[in-house]
Amino acid sequence: MFKTRLISGIVLVAIALLVIITGGNLLLGVMAAVSLIGMFELYRVFGVHKSVAGVVGYLAALLYYASFLVDFLPDSMVLYLGFLIVLLAVYVFSYPKYKADQIMAVFFGFFYVATMLSFIYQTRMLSAGEYIVWLIFLCSWGSDTCAYCVGMLFGKHKMSPLLSPKKSVEGAVGGVVGAALLTALYCYIFKAQMDIQVSEVWLLAGVSAVGALISMVGDLAASAIKRNYDIKDYGKLIPGHGGILDRFDSVIITAPIIFFLASNVLK
């Protein structure tokens, strides 16, 4: 199991490196595909993955990503309002086919997965975005690795015993500090390319610390949904890791945080 997880993890990182370094339309297309798969996994939990309501969600995601290629929306809120109206129309005109929580899950899936994951692309498109975008992964996957190591060595106090009994307060602290230090080292190495000063290196380290703290919320929230619906993994796409949502649960919530905080720090 460990060998499978390690190999698939290495392959995943290699693909991420290729796609994110290339950026542009390749990254946009990959994020659209990843979002659709993630939405499918979440919709499957609620039993709407092959329904008309689910299809409306997928189409909304495609339109959302297409808007980055062709600027046809005066405001992104237009898409959200239109999507909600169409979704409610499906709900009322096919009543009682869907339960209210299923309709809410379709809307939530579009925002939670497609919209929030798009900030990986949006961060990459910032000035110096080819460097800043990696903060998303340093404060999610990097934090997760540091938290695991510190938790294994020093973990005594359970952070959320009912939801995730293996996670500890000590591990959480180690994850936040580890993400900040990894980011500080990374930004210091590339400070010339990023055109930043040492003071901004530490500000970005602070951004990653905040992102790491929030990433734990994303991780636990995804786990809570699985516990509520009694499933082990969202999917089996990534051997040893599960589905898209199992691997990107912390990245989903971290991406917009890094986008907004980092873009303000580097104004």
Side-chain angles (χ1 to χ4, degrees):
M1 182 64 177
F2 175 76
K3 183 179 179 181
T4 301
R5 186 179 177 87
L6 177 63
I7 293 172
S8 61
I10 292 171
V11 172
L12 186 63
V13 169
I15 294 172
L17 283 168
L18 173 64
V19 172
I20 294 174
I21 289 173
T22 303
N25 290 343
L26 174 63
L27 176 58
L28 182 65
V30 169
M31 293 319 304
V34 168
S35 294
L36 289 172
I37 296 169
M39 289 172 68
F40 179 85
E41 292 175 352
L42 186 62
Y43 288 175
R44 184 167 52 194
V45 174
F46 294 91
V48 292
H49 55 301
K50 295 181 180 179
S51 68
V52 173
V55 170
V56 171
Y58 302 139
L59 290 175
L62 287 172
L63 283 173
Y64 175 73
Y65 276 95
S67 70
F68 289 105
L69 281 175
V70 182
D71 187 15
F72 58 86
L73 293 174
D75 190 314
S76 61
M77 186 56 68
V78 172
L79 177 59
Y80 289 95
L81 287 173
F83 172 43
L84 181 59
I85 291 168
V86 172
L87 193 56
L88 290 176
V90 171
Y91 178 44
V92 298
F93 290 117
S94 61
Y95 188 85
K97 181 178 180 180
Y98 301 101
K99 294 181 179 179
D101 61 341
Q102 290 178 308
I103 296 300
M104 288 185 279
V106 173
F107 189 85
F108 172 72
F110 167 61
F111 181 82
Y112 173 65
V113 183
T115 302
M116 295 180 77
L117 273 178
S118 75
F119 281 95
I120 295 177
Y121 170 77
Q122 294 185 64
T123 304
R124 176 64 177 80
M125 297 304 290
L126 291 172
S127 176
E130 63 268 36
Y131 298 99
I132 299 170
V133 69
W134 297 106
L135 270 62
I136 295 171
F137 301 96
L138 284 172
C139 69
S140 52
W141 294 350
S143 168
D144 189 46
T145 302
C146 291
Y148 175 80
C149 294
V150 173
M152 287 290 291
L153 293 171
F154 306 107
K156 292 182 179 179
H157 302 88
K158 302 299 181 184
M159 184 169 65
S160 182
L162 293 178
L163 185 56
S164 188
K166 292 183 179 180
K167 287 183 169 60
S168 66
V169 174
E170 293 82 0
V173 172
V176 171
V177 173
L181 292 177
L182 285 172
T183 299
L185 177 62
Y186 167 79
C187 291
Y188 186 79
I189 292 171
F190 292 105
K191 71 178 189 301
Q193 292 87 337
M194 296 172 71
D195 192 25
I196 58 175
Q197 305 300 317
V198 174
S199 60
E200 291 170 309
V201 168
W202 290 111
L203 284 174
L204 288 173
V207 166
S208 271
V210 173
L213 192 60
I214 294 173
S215 77
M216 296 175 194
V217 175
D219 184 18
L220 290 171
S223 296
I225 295 173
K226 289 191 287 187
R227 290 295 181 99
N228 282 161
Y229 288 87
D230 196 27
I231 58 174
K232 184 179 184 296
D233 294 315
Y234 284 103
K236 299 179 179 178
L237 182 65
I238 309 171
H241 292 268
I244 288 295
L245 294 184
D246 296 294
R247 183 65 274 179
F248 286 83
D249 49 8
S250 58
V251 172
I252 285 173
I253 199 167
T254 301
I257 298 300
I258 295 300
F259 174 81
F260 289 113
L261 292 182
S263 58
N264 278 283
V265 165
L266 301 179
K267 273 185 177 179

